[in-house]
Amino acid sequence: MEELTAGLEKLRLASSDPNPDLFDQLLRQVNALGGDEKNTGCESLVSGGILPLCLAALQSSSPDTQARSAELVAELAKVESCRVGCVDSGVVGGLVSGLGSTDTNVALQACRALGNICYEHVCVAEGGRVSVVGAGGAGKLVGLLSRAASLPDTPDNHHLRLVSTGFLLNLLNSYDTVQDDALEATLVGVLCEYLDKYSDDPDIPTHVLLSLTCLADTEVGRGLVVSRDITPQLVRVLKVNQSPEVIETALELVSNLADNAEDVKTQMAEGGVCQAVMEVVRRHRESPSPDLSPPILKTATDLIVLILVGDESMNTLYGGGKGPVYVELLDWLNADLEDLQIAGALAMGNFARSDAHCIQMVERGIAGQLLGVLAGHNSGEGDIRLQHALLSALRNLSIARQNKPVLVEQGALTVLLPMATKIETFPVVFKLLATLRMIIDGQVDAALKVGSEIGVVERLVVWTGTTDHPGVQGESSRLLAWIIKNSSASGAQTSEVKEGEAKGAETEKPDKEKLSKLAESGGKVVSALVAAGCVAPLVAMLGSEHAVMVNEAAVALAVVAGTDAGREAAAATPLLKTVAPQVLRNTYLPPEILVNTLTFLTTLATHEKARESMKTDEMREGVAVLSSHASDHVKSLAQDLKAKL
């Protein structure tokens, strides 16, 4: 410490004509200290008045003196407690001037000092960063970056580029008050130039990519980055850079830009980003790094799935079922890494959002491949993420009407039904129930098979009462309704309940003998469902805020009411609390739903106990109102029911 004090005194005595050797001496003394001792030494220099002397030296005519004084400030600014002093002393302005120096070392040391002053300088109004911007540092830095990019490739110039991009990152990190659109637009162009020229550098691209990420965190900056379309630069970095840190940073930037932006997803898909990402995946599969490869693979696969969320990007990458990205994603289903399998399954689900795609995919055996993978994971010990992804894809593939019988023929129920009694994870259960519901739509035999699985039905009834996952609660009730509806041969053929299904070939109508057998089987299934306790959940479903669910419940209850046990069970539920106020008096419900509800109530009224319980003022008033409904069918059914009450 005594040496530091002596050195400071020498510098003060020579302040009128500072000698760079005096700064060198102080630098050596500071760097010879370590840990807390160094922090204390730097603090003593700042409190002793070193910074005004540095400012004076920065304004000298000697480049060596300017560089040494800036270097000393850079060392002092490594100590957090000294950064406020750097701002308060006014040294920032002198350093900003140094950014414009034609002397590489002066500009380099000024960058170091300003970068350190900005580093995590959290005080009122982000003092360090505000001070630098207020002194014109942002514009000076962009100019320096532009000049540095054109300098010859020497070690000193490379160091300048590395330090200046690092300073930029510190300036932009968590700071969004530059608010100079023209300056930021110029900066984006300069950063793209750096990615073009130094895409294979192990360090510079990290600074550049993180700086672009910081810009993209602001609305204006994001717009500038997106409008510039940096896709070619990102693709180049992903293809040629071998640094895992750089690759991960690039992937994170692409994810940032593509998130919630349809046009950017399209940009990425058309610009070859996914192909470049797949090259990254191949490199890390062939030469994996235990620490770095897993997170990179996870980020890479998540990114491809994210890009596929866009409609245009999905169509581009599908390429009529022959796109190279689509073909490779299909191969991932059989990969030995679960991250790849999950990404492949999620990708298939995204590709299947198009009716034309999902029909073509099933024709080409994709559903069979998905089922084959799921068959190895359909127990309680299966990978939850993979189960969820596979079910999502199968659910989308099963929406198209002509795909449903194909999935049944390929053994979908054999794979799916065991999951209903073994899986406890609600997000997976939710997807499972939705997939089963789609598959049995219009498929009498499939509905009968599901409804005949008593263990499955019992789980469904239990799930209708869960409060832990509203989605599972709703889907289990809906699946019960669809089993009942589709177990009835006539109901399955004439049902008007559709949910986003693709137009396809008409289902073949069964002959009378088959209808008779199906009706008998359907009656047994309905009776079994009633005995399992499905009526109460269906009655509760009549009170749903979703019209389609009200209709599904009404259709199923109309079938249930055709049996003695069904009427008995319905009569024992709080039916009137749901039907009269929430259905009959709901003026927004379409006539079709009212018709199905009135049909159910009329059938139920043949049960003496139920009919007597229905003779309430509220029920009579609701039916009376519908007796003058604009729909002749509704009016006729209401009048018939009114007469019974």
Side-chain angles (χ1 to χ4, degrees), residues 126-451:
E126 292 282 346
R129 292 165 184 151
V130 169
S131 180
V132 170
V133 173
K140 286 275 191 178
L141 176 56
V142 173
L144 172 60
L145 287 166
S146 182
R147 294 197 310 275
S150 61
L151 293 174
D153 287 331
T154 65
D156 287 346
N157 291 336
H158 177 270
H159 194 198
L160 176 61
R161 288 188 282 262
L162 181 61
V163 170
S164 58
T165 52
F167 167 34
L168 174 67
L169 176 58
N170 284 357
L171 182 63
L172 294 176
N173 189 29
S174 303
Y175 180 65
D176 59 1
T177 59
V178 175
Q179 295 180 343
D180 187 333
D181 296 2
L183 180 61
E184 289 188 358
T186 302
L187 175 58
V188 172
V190 172
L191 294 179
C192 285
E193 182 181 1
Y194 270 69
L195 291 179
D196 281 330
K197 289 185 174 181
Y198 312 111
S199 56
D200 59 347
D201 190 271
D203 301 304
I204 289 176
T206 298
H207 292 163
V208 173
L209 293 165
L210 287 173
S211 295
L212 287 166
T213 299
C214 291
L215 283 172
D217 284 340
T218 69
E219 185 175 352
V220 171
R222 186 182 187 86
L224 292 170
V225 173
V226 170
S227 63
R228 176 65 168 73
D229 186 8
I230 64 173
T231 300
Q233 287 76 29
L234 294 172
V235 168
R236 180 172 174 77
V237 169
L238 290 170
K239 285 186 174 182
V240 305
N241 202 289
Q242 299 300 312
S243 166
E245 291 82 1
V246 171
I247 294 301
E248 189 164 20
T249 304
L251 293 173
E252 289 171 353
L253 174 58
V254 177
S255 300
N256 181 316
L257 295 174
D259 194 26
N260 299 320
E262 184 83 9
D263 56 338
V264 178
K265 292 182 179 70
T266 303
Q267 253 182 22
M268 301 295 180
E270 294 177 348
V273 168
C274 289
Q275 289 90 330
V277 171
M278 285 180 154
E279 285 189 28
V280 170
V281 171
R282 285 194 290 272
R283 290 203 303 266
H284 281 268
R285 289 182 71 186
E286 293 166 1
S287 303
S289 166
D291 296 329
L292 298 173
S293 292
I296 286 178
L297 289 173
K298 179 67 168 61
T299 304
T301 54
D302 286 350
L303 172 57
I304 291 176
V305 174
L306 173 63
I307 292 174
L308 283 171
V309 170
D311 290 337
E312 287 299 320
S313 54
M314 178 267 290
N315 284 324
T316 297
L317 296 173
Y318 185 68
K322 298 179 180 178
V325 171
Y326 169 75
V327 172
E328 188 159 353
L329 285 168
L330 193 54
D331 288 340
W332 284 6
L333 289 175
N334 298 312
D336 53 358
L337 295 175
E338 285 190 345
D339 280 339
L340 297 189
Q341 284 188 301
I342 292 166
L346 289 172
M348 293 306 112
N350 278 322
F351 285 124
R353 296 199 318 274
S354 157
D355 288 346
H357 291 180
C358 73
I359 293 169
Q360 186 181 64
M361 290 167 70
V362 169
E363 288 175 349
R364 295 180 178 181
I366 307 305
Q369 287 184 248
L370 293 166
L371 287 168
V373 177
L374 184 58
H377 295 267
N378 68 339
S379 68
E381 289 74 40
D383 184 276
I384 293 172
R385 295 181 305 146
L386 183 56
Q387 289 173 338
H388 193 274
L390 291 165
L391 289 169
S392 296
L394 288 167
R395 188 262 180 198
N396 286 356
L397 289 173
S398 63
I399 291 175
R401 180 163 293 279
Q402 59 262 58
N403 285 355
K404 301 176 192 293
V406 179
L407 265 72
V408 174
E409 290 169 8
Q410 292 178 341
L413 297 182
T414 303
V415 175
L416 297 174
L417 287 178
M419 298 180 75
T421 56
K422 296 176 181 177
I423 304 299
E424 302 289 344
T425 308
F426 276 150
V428 177
V429 171
F430 177 69
K431 286 294 181 182
L432 171 65
L433 299 181
T435 305
L436 285 170
R437 184 166 58 83
M438 283 291 98
I439 289 176
I440 69 171
D441 184 26
Q443 305 302 306
V444 182
D445 289 336
L448 289 171
K449 181 173 178 58
V450 177

Side-chain angles (χ1 to χ4, degrees), residues 53-122:
L53 299 176
C54 290
L55 176 57
L58 286 168
Q59 296 167 341
S60 76
S61 59
S62 167
D64 284 345
T65 301
Q66 293 173 18
R68 295 297 180 273
S69 61
E71 187 176 359
L72 180 56
V73 175
E75 292 303 317
L76 296 173
K78 288 180 179 179
V79 180
E80 183 176 0
S81 57
C82 295
R83 292 173 197 152
V84 173
C86 291
V87 172
D88 293 342
S89 68
V91 75
V92 167
L95 293 168
V96 167
S97 296
L99 295 177
S101 175
T102 56
D103 186 284
T104 298
N105 197 33
V106 172
L108 172 68
Q109 298 303 335
C111 274
R112 287 188 62 231
L114 289 170
N116 289 345
I117 289 171
C118 291
Y119 179 73
E120 294 185 356
H121 185 173
V122 182

